[in-house]
Amino acid sequence: MLTLKYSRALPGILVNAADPGYTDTDLNDGQGTQTVTEGSDAIVRLATLPDDGPTGTFVNREGALAW
């Protein structure tokens, strides 16, 4: 909800949320099911959106997720 509120309150700024998924890191003692590269896919995609890209979305490496 905060992502949606910010996206509406900040015109001209893209505000989105990313779910990296269960990624193999020290935080979970290496038990994640995907690599760090796979976990960063959604984050990189959002960071490189064009100026007219979507805002107010929630995504993972496979695409947009329903709120």
Side-chain angles (χ1 to χ4, degrees):
M1 184 52 79
L2 190 57
T3 300
L4 288 174
K5 294 280 189 184
Y6 281 149
S7 70
R8 292 176 182 156
L10 301 168
I13 298 174
L14 301 180
V15 180
N16 295 289
D19 173 9
Y22 192 42
T23 302
D24 186 355
T25 65
D26 290 342
L27 186 64
N28 60 25
D29 199 28
Q31 296 180 13
T33 58
Q34 62 186 17
T35 67
V36 171
T37 300
E38 292 169 328
S40 66
D41 286 348
I43 297 163
V44 171
R45 187 177 336 111
L46 290 177
T48 58
L49 284 174
D51 291 344
D52 63 346
T55 190
T57 65
F58 178 45
V59 301
N60 66 10
R61 70 186 308 252
E62 296 166 358
L65 300 168
W67 285 106

